[in-house]
Every structure is written in structure tokens, then in C-alpha cells.
């Protein structure tokens, strides 16, 4: 811990001193920046002309042209709120927009139509834009909301974890546990591409990992739905995280050098002739240097690259290309017996992955359509060795899938919108080489069941949907949709999902919302490798959801929301070797603790439920330079497996509390903090009878009936400082996680040396980190 603190302190001090001494003579408080943007109709995506765009708190503004674009020059560098207003549309404000003295800033407005008032009335600006496809359980964050959140390491997924309904997982990981569901139940979409896992060192067959590979400087906004999302998206039963990436600026070349909490990188962006833009980044972690300095026995390292190109073919047609790739590797230091013992409990994974997509967007008089051709590809080389360096687990596999997605959106009239589409996914390359010794893979009778497999197969998945959104009156709006999913690798291949959402306006600032729907999810590909019969015994997981909520806008930049939900699970995967448990993998599984990745005989006989109440309060950055959010969740999750006994779910955290807030003193200084609290998840005891063949393994006869983990709580603090120079902007921060050094428990594991179960402590305690970004 001392080594880490000194490392970060020295780097931060030297960087700050260098920045001051080098640039202080060129400090120019009048250094100005450029803001560019595009304004479109949210329903048809057609550009809106003659929209008045104003930078609040200044006299600066612009009027959008026929192509919906605007540009505002000579803006003093700083953070602003930007308002867009036009006759026949809701007034919308985007908060937390950073205007740089270096490269131009690019934003995008999507305006909702509204009836024109015949009588003069005062209309307040809307800081909280509604999602056109989802009524309940949905929140939105922009890139600055994520960037400056304390303790999230500029990670999109960690920022989402502050929202209502999202449980606390291990420190060092960003698995989303949404309303009691396992991490594999969550869907991630990046620029219309469904991505199995958007993390470095991601968990195969699930969605979590230590760190998102999405560069925060590429993000325009993030929409998170904890449940009740529309029929357009499927094949997941819990949540939807939809990440929209920005385009590069079309004015001139701009660059950025970045030193963050986990690595360093470079970004370049600029125009392509007069037809579009490009945005490119390359990053490398320095975790290997830190872990070596701290004396850790395992050493992670990663690279990633991201490229986005946008080209306007003509006024109504555009092409967008995106590719994001990563190289992840873990090496082990086995210099002494202690390090070899520590490493023997780590299932280390080397991974290479990328996802990419080419999207054609075309506008017509009453709507638009998009067609995306995408590809996901990952290779995994996962191994575990005992303290004698003998290999006890091997997983060498490749998963590649090509997708073709088409979506059509029509505006039938000002209050009615129709959408339909199809998403075809063909996994042409699913190859697995697996070795698990029998003593780590015991069946329910204690008989060793070793697994040695070299197999490959293909899989076809398809989802077709239709949805209509309309207003039955000036107070009542509904969204009704249906979805049909097809999975050719399962015995039961067709699944039908109806969904309905209602929103009733009690008055101009209060809404009563309701959603109900059915959701299906196909098994992860690697689960089908656990037994030759899994494809016959497994069905798509089912979840039926009901959500009722109340939303009240206290003032234009402050909203309150309360929701109650009930989720019924069916066809949940159960473990034949462990009849007391449903499948709930997350993180790197230690094969000496339990069978990893669902590599065992499974069936779809599990049932369960999750129910709870969520309270949410959010303040946007407005006239008062204070922003933040508070969420409070009371939740219960229960599952019944093959033995017919109802037990607490593995992620049954009964109470979750999050609070995050920041204050901007001026355009240079900002301070923020984040506090998280959660009751502990259930645990399972271990077999301590030395005569039992399962000695040292989890006692599944008492599955999830052990003592719960202790109360989790942690406080993170962050301070940001900005310098503005002629043509250069420098942003620095210091972020201290777990500032009072709380030793939070993350789980229980067996210690083979002590021959007893021990409680694991999450993370490394107090963790300072620094960040420096130079834009030019």
C-alpha cells in the first residue's frame, strides 16, 4: 500500500509541477474554444433548422442550419449547460458540457415534438430527456457524468453501478448485479452492436470484468435500463446498457494525451475532407509496473485500440464504422512458495478480442432506418496451476459471431410512432478445448467426473420485433411491442415475448409509470460444453417483469423517482452435480472451489423471483454548481433448484445505498465524493470433515445458508483541477478510493494451508490514483 501511495503521489506532484512551470508563462485566461453540434428530430432523425442554441450564463449562441448543424466560436474555456429551443419542440438542456481551449467540442441534440400552445405559457427547459423506447427504470448519463464520478476510474460500467437497483460486487471488478440477477443477465449495446462482454479480462459466458475497454473520451451518452425495456432488444432478462459514441469533430485536427488511474493513451480526431470525421485512440495499461512495484504475484497487462469513422454520403444517407479491440495478458511471478500458493488460487486468462460494425443510416420523409453489419470475436487461453505448477485447468477457446441488424422507424403522426426490425446472429466459429481433472469435478454422489473435450459447433440466433408508441390522450402514453426469438442450438427453439408500458401524466411535473413484459435469454455458448446433453436439457431463461413507478420533477434540474418491481424467473439453469444450486457464475472462478463456467450437466428446472423498491433522486448541474444522485434499494431474491428447496439467491443483497455528489467552485476547481453501502450477500460453508471426499469444498447441502458477509461501505473522494493555456487544456485529478481504509469482505474461500475456510477481504484498502489529460 505504501509503495502504491508513494508512486501515485510522486507522479501527480511531478506532473503538476511540470505543467505549472512549463506553461505558466503562457497562461491566457481569455483562451477560447469551439462548440459544434447537430440537432435532429428524436422520432425521425431528420435535421431541424432554425433551432436556437444558447450557452447558459453567457450571451453566446447560434441558429442551426438546414442540415441541423450549428457552431459557436470564441467561447471561454470551461464547463457549461447548453440549451436548444424551437417552436413545436420541447426545450432541452444538456448539462456538464466541457468546452476546451484546444480541440473543438461536439454534441448532439435529439428534440421531442410537443404541441404548440395557443396561449402564452412559461415553458421550463428539460434537463431529463425521456427515452422514446422505454418508460420505466431508465436513467441517462453523459460522458462528463462518468468521467468525474469518484472511484469509477473513468469506467462507464462502474458509473452505471451507482444507479438504482445495481448491487455491489467485488472491488476491482465491475460486474453489474441488477435487481438480484446474475451478471450474465445483462445486455450491452455499443453503437447498435450487441457486445457479449465489453471488459478487459472479461468473464467468459458472463458480462463482468475488471475494467471496461470503452474509452470514456469516445462516449457521448449512456442509457441504462434496470428492467422493462422495449421489444427492440432481447436475449437478456435483466438490464440494458446502451452506449452511444460520439463522432470526431469536423472542424480541425485535435489530439489528446491521457494518463489515467490504470494506463496511458493517445487520441486523434478530425475531419475527413468535407464529408465526415475520424476518431482514433490507443491505450496501454501500466498495471504491470504497479503490480510489480507492489510485489503482487500476478501481473496483468492490456492494450486496446478504438477507431470510429463517420461519412455523410449525402443529405439523407451516412455510413459509420466502428472497431474496438483489446489484447489482455496475465503473467505470474512464482519466485517463492508463498507466491506459488497465492497463484494456485487464480484462474488466469489471456484474451484477445474485438468487436466492429458498419452502420448505414438513411432518412426518409416520415422516419429512418439503420442497417448494421457487425462482428464479435474473442479468444481465451485460461489456465490454473497448483502450488507445484502442475496444470489443473485448461480452457483454450474461440468464439466468433457475425450479426446483421436492421431497424425501421416510422412517424405515423405527431403522437404515434411505429418501429420494427430484425437481428440475425450467426456464430460460425465456436471452438473449445477443455480439461478439468476429476477431483475438482465431483458429481452429487462424490464420484469424480473429469472433463476432457475438443469440440466445435455453430449457432444461429434471430430476433424479430415490432413496437408501437402512441398517446391515447394528452395525459396517457403507451408503448406496446412483441418479439419472437429463435435459437437453433436449443431443443425448444422459438420464444414469444409481449411487452407493454404505460405513462400517465398526473400534472405537468408528475408521472405514473407502469411496465409489464416477458424476456428470454439463450444459454451462454460455453454452458453447452459442460455435457453432451445440455443443448437438449436447456431452454431459454425466462423472466416476467412488472414495474410500477412514480416520477416527479421537483425543478428543471432535479427529479425524484420511486419504483416497485417484481420479477419471476423460469427455465433457470440448474446444476445436476449440485442439485441445491442454480447457475450463478461471475468473475474468475477458482476451480479448487467449484466447477467453473457452467462446465457440468445443466437443466432448465430452476425457478425464482426478485422483488424490491427503489428510490432515486438526481440533481443535474444547473444554476447552482452542485450535481449528484442518491439511490436507495430494498431487494429480495430467492431461487429454487432441483432439490425443491427455496434459498436466497447468490446476489441477494437486501439493502443498497449509493450517494454521489460534486461541487464546482469555479471553472478550474471541482470536488466530488461517493459513498456506497450494502448489506452482505449470503455465503455457503465448506466441508470440514476430513473423512469426507468433499473435504475443503463448498458444502452444497447448506448452500447459501452460511453467515452473510459483513456490511459493505466505502467512501471515495476526488479533486479536479483544470488549466487553460493558449491552444492547450490540461485537466488533472487525484482520486482516493476507500479513503477511511475499510476492509470490506468479498467472499469466503478455502485455505489449503490452514485447512479452514477464511473470509476474503476485497481490494487493497485505501487506493489513491491520479489522472492527467492534455488536449491540443
Amino acid at each position: 500500500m505504501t509503495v502504491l501511495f508513494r508512486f501515485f503521489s510522486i507522479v501527480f506532484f511531478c506532473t503538476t509541477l511540470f505543467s505549472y512551470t512549463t506553461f505558466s508563462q503562457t497562461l491566457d485566461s481569455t483562451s477560447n474554444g469551439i462548440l459544434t453540434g447537430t440537432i435532429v428530430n428524436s422520432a425521425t432523425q431528420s435535421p431541424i433548422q432554425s433551432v436556437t442554441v444558447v450557452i447558459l450564463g453567457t450571451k453566446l449562441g447560434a441558429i442551426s442550419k438546414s442540415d441541423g448543424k450549428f457552431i459557436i466560436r470564441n467561447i471561454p474555456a470551461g464547463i457549461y449547460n447548453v440549451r436548444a429551443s424551437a417552436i413545436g419542440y420541447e426545450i432541452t438542456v444538456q448539462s456538464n458540457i466541457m468546452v476546451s481551449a484546444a480541440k473543438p467540442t461536439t454534441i448532439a441534440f435529439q428534440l421531442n415534438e410537443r404541441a404548440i400552445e395557443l396561449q402564452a405559457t412559461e415553458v421550463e427547459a428539460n434537463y431529463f430527456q425521456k427515452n422514446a423506447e422505454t418508460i420505466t427504470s431508465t436513467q441517462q448519463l453523459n460522458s462528463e457524468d462518468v468521467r468525474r464520478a469518484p472511484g469509477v476510474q473513468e469506467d462507464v460500467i462502474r458509473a452505471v453501478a451507482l444507479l438504482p437497483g445495481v448491487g455491489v460486487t467485488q472491488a476491482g471488478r465491475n460486474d453489474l448485479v441488477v435487481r438480484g440477477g446474475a451478471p450474465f443477465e445483462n445486455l450491452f449495446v455499443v453503437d447498435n452492436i450487441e457486445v457479449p462482454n465489453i471488459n478487459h479480462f472479461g468473464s467468459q459466458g458472463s458480462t463482468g470484468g475488471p475494467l471496461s475497454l470503452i474509452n470514456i473520451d469516445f462516449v457521448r451518452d449512456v442509457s441504462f435500463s434496470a428492467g422493462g425495456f422495449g421489444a427492440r432488444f432481447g436475449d437478456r432478462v435483466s438490464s440494458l446498457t446502451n452506449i452511444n459514441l460520439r463522432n470526431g469533430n469536423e472542424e480541425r485536427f485535435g489530439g489528446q494525451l491521457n494518463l489515467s488511474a490504470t494506463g496511458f493513451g493517445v487520441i486523434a480526431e478530425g475531419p475527413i475532407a468535407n464529408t465526415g470525421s475520424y476518431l482514433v485512440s490507443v491505450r496501454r495499461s501500466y498495471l504491470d509496473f504497479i503490480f510489480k512495484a507492489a510485489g503482487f504475484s500476478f501481473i496483468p497487462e492490456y492494450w486496446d485500440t478504438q477507431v470510429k469513422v463517420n461519412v455523410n454520403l449525402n443529405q439523407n444517407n451516412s455510413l459509420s464504422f466502428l472497431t474496438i479491440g483489446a489484447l489482455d495478458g496475465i503473467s505470474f511471478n512464482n519466485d517463492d512458495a508463498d507466491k506459488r500458493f497465492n497463484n494456485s488460487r487464480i484462474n488466469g486468462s489471456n484474451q484477445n478480442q474485438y468487436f466492429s460494425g458498419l452502420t448505414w443510416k438513411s432518412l426518409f420523409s416520415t422516419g429512418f432506418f439503420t442497417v448494421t453489419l457487425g462482428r464479435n470475436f474473442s479468444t481465451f487461453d485460461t489456465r490454473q496451476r497448483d502450488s507445484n505448477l502442475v496444470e489443473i485447468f485448461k480452457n483454450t477457446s474461440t468464439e466468433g459471431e457475425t450479426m446483421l441488424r436492421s431497424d425501421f422507424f416510422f412517424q405515423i403522426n405527431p403522437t404515434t410512432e411505429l418501429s420494427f426490425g430484425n437481428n440475425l446472429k450467426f456464430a460460425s466459429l465456436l471452438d473449445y478445448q477443455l480439461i478439468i481433472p476429476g477431483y475438482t469435478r465431483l458429481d452429487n454422489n462424490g464420484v469424480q467426473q473429469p472433463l476432457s473435450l475438443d469440440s466445435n459447433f455453430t449457432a444461429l440466433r434471430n430476433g424479430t420485433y415490432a413496437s408501437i408508441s402512441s398517446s391515447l390522450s394528452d395525459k396517457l402514453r403507451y408503448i406496446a411491442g412483441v418479439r419472437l426469438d429463435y435459437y437453433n442450438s436449443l431443443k425448444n427453439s422459438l420464444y414469444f415475448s409481449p411487452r407493454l408500458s404505460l405513462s400517465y401524466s398526473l400534472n405537468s411535473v408528475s408521472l405514473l409509470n407502469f411496465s409489464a413484459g416477458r424476456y428470454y435469454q439463450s444459454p451462454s455458448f460455453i454452458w453447452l460444453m459442460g455435457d453432451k446433453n445440455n443443448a437438449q436439457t436447456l431452454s431459454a431463461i425466462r423472466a416476467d417483469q412488472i414495474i410500477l413507478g412514480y416520477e416527479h420533477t421537483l425543478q428543471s434540474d432535479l427529479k425524484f423517482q420511486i419504483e416497485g418491481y417484481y420479477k419471476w424467473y423460469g427455465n433457470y439453469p440448474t446444476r445436476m452435480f449440485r442439485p441445491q444450486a442454480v447457475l450463478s457464475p461471475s468473475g474468475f472462478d477458482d476451480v479448487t472451489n467449484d466447477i467453473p463456467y457452467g462446465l457440468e450437466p445443466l437443466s432448465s428446472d430452476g425457478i425464482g423471483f426478485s422483488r424490491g423498491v427503489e428510490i432515486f433522486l438526481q440533481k443535474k448541474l444547473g444554476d447552482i454548481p452542485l450535481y449528484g444522485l442518491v439511490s436507495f434499494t430494498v431487494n429480495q431474491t430467492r431461487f429454487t433448484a432441483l432439490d425443491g428447496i427455496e434459498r436466497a439467491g447468490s446476489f441477494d443483497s437486501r439493502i443498497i445505498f449509493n450517494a454521489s455528489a460534486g461541487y464546482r467552485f469555479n471553472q478550474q476547481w471541482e470536488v466530488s465524493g461517493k459513498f456506497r453501502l450494502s448489506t452482505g450477500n449470503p455465503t455457503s460453508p465448506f466441508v470440514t470433515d476430513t473423512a469426507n471426499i468433499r473435504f475443503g469444498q463448498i458444502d452444497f447441502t447448506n448452500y447459501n445458508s452460511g453467515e452473510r458477509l459483513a456490511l459493505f461501505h466505502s467512501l471515495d473522494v476526488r479533486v479536479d483541477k483544470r488549466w487553460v493555456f493558449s491552444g492547450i487544456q490540461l485537466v488533472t485529478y487525484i482520486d482516493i478510493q476507500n479513503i477511511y481504509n475499510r476492509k470490506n469482505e468479498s467472499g469466503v474461500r478455502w485455505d489449503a494451508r490452514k485447512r479452514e475456510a477464511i473470509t476474503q477481504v476485497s481490494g487493497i484498502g485505501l487506493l489513491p490514483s491520479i489522472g492527467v489529460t492534455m488536449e491540443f
Side-chain angles (χ1 to χ4, degrees), residues 408-552:
F408 296 82
F409 302 87
F410 294 87
Q411 186 179 47
I412 298 174
N413 58 51
T415 62
T416 304
E417 300 164 19
L418 174 68
S419 63
F420 59 87
N422 191 81
N423 189 16
L424 175 67
K425 296 184 285 187
F426 178 60
S428 59
L429 184 59
L430 299 171
D431 187 86
Y432 301 88
Q433 298 178 40
L434 304 163
I435 298 176
I436 307 178
Y439 70 90
T440 65
R441 192 172 182 263
L442 302 179
D443 65 17
N444 189 43
N445 298 315
V447 178
Q448 295 189 9
Q449 300 286 348
L451 178 67
S452 180
L453 178 71
D454 186 348
S455 181
N456 60 78
F457 68 103
T458 62
L460 178 70
R461 299 184 288 178
N462 190 78
T464 304
Y465 76 93
S467 180
I468 186 169
S469 172
S470 186
S471 296
L472 297 177
S473 68
D474 59 351
K475 290 184 174 292
L476 181 61
R477 172 176 170 249
Y478 75 89
I479 302 174
V482 293
R483 182 180 179 90
L484 183 65
D485 286 290
Y486 171 76
Y487 309 120
N488 82 320
S489 57
L490 303 182
K491 182 179 180 180
N492 299 318
S493 56
L494 283 175
Y495 298 89
F496 178 73
S497 307
R499 299 175 194 177
L500 175 67
S501 295
L502 302 170
S503 181
Y504 183 78
S505 178
L506 300 173
N507 51 53
S508 62
V509 294
S510 302
L511 296 171
L512 189 62
N513 300 320
F514 170 81
S515 288
R518 172 162 287 188
Y519 298 81
Y520 283 104
Q521 176 177 344
S522 60
S524 298
F525 291 133
I526 194 169
W527 299 355
L528 303 180
M529 296 292 96
D531 187 84
K532 63 181 180 180
N533 295 319
N534 278 0
Q536 299 297 312
T537 58
L538 285 175
S539 299
I541 303 169
R542 185 185 74 245
D544 295 323
Q545 301 184 23
I546 290 180
I547 303 163
L548 179 65
Y550 170 76
E551 182 178 327
H552 180 70

Side-chain angles (χ1 to χ4, degrees), residues 83-313:
R83 183 183 66 198
S85 59
I87 296 175
Y89 292 91
E90 293 181 359
I91 300 174
T92 301
V93 173
Q94 289 196 22
S95 63
N96 244 349
I97 304 300
M98 179 185 288
V99 176
S100 170
K103 62 181 183 178
T105 299
T106 301
I107 62 176
F109 280 96
Q110 296 195 31
L111 301 187
N112 297 324
E113 293 185 39
R114 64 183 298 270
I116 298 176
E117 300 287 347
L118 298 179
Q119 296 180 345
T121 58
E122 183 177 347
V123 180
E124 283 198 344
N126 178 18
Y127 280 73
F128 302 98
Q129 191 168 11
K130 302 298 181 185
N131 188 304
E133 299 180 77
T134 304
I135 287 177
T136 59
S137 308
T138 301
Q139 315 299 334
Q140 290 186 305
L141 303 172
N142 68 18
S143 60
E144 289 303 313
D145 294 332
V146 176
R147 184 195 310 277
R148 298 201 300 276
V152 306
Q153 301 173 359
E154 299 183 350
D155 185 334
V156 172
I157 310 305
R158 292 178 190 270
V160 166
L162 298 176
L163 297 175
V166 183
V168 174
T169 56
Q170 304 176 39
R173 291 189 60 84
N174 64 11
D175 305 80
L176 291 185
V177 174
V178 181
R179 293 178 171 173
F184 63 73
E185 299 176 18
N186 304 310
L187 175 63
F188 294 89
V189 180
V190 181
D191 269 13
N192 218 34
I193 306 168
E194 294 185 6
V195 184
N197 196 313
I198 63 170
N199 289 290
H200 289 287
F201 305 101
S203 301
Q204 189 173 4
S206 191
T207 62
L211 183 71
S212 168
L213 55 85
I214 304 294
N215 191 327
I216 185 58
D217 292 292
F218 275 56
V219 174
R220 186 182 75 200
D221 57 61
V222 183
S223 173
F224 174 74
S225 296
F229 51 89
R232 183 182 172 204
F233 295 107
D235 204 21
R236 289 297 186 272
V237 295
S238 274
S239 75
L240 165 65
T241 303
N242 197 346
I243 303 172
N244 295 307
L245 306 183
R246 69 179 180 91
N247 296 329
N249 81 80
E250 298 182 5
E251 284 296 304
R252 62 173 177 81
F253 171 81
Q256 179 175 303
L257 300 176
N258 179 269
L259 176 69
S260 71
T262 56
F264 55 88
V266 59
I267 294 176
E269 63 177 292
I272 300 177
N274 294 318
T275 62
S277 64
Y278 67 88
L279 183 58
V280 181
S281 81
V282 178
R283 298 187 300 180
R284 186 201 189 278
S285 71
Y286 51 62
L287 293 176
D288 48 332
F289 305 122
I290 297 175
F291 278 50
K292 287 178 182 178
F296 290 168
S297 60
F298 67 98
I299 304 165
E301 176 186 341
Y302 70 77
W303 288 80
D304 65 44
T305 183
Q306 305 181 40
V307 178
K308 184 175 182 181
V309 177
N310 185 72
V311 176
N312 299 311
L313 302 176

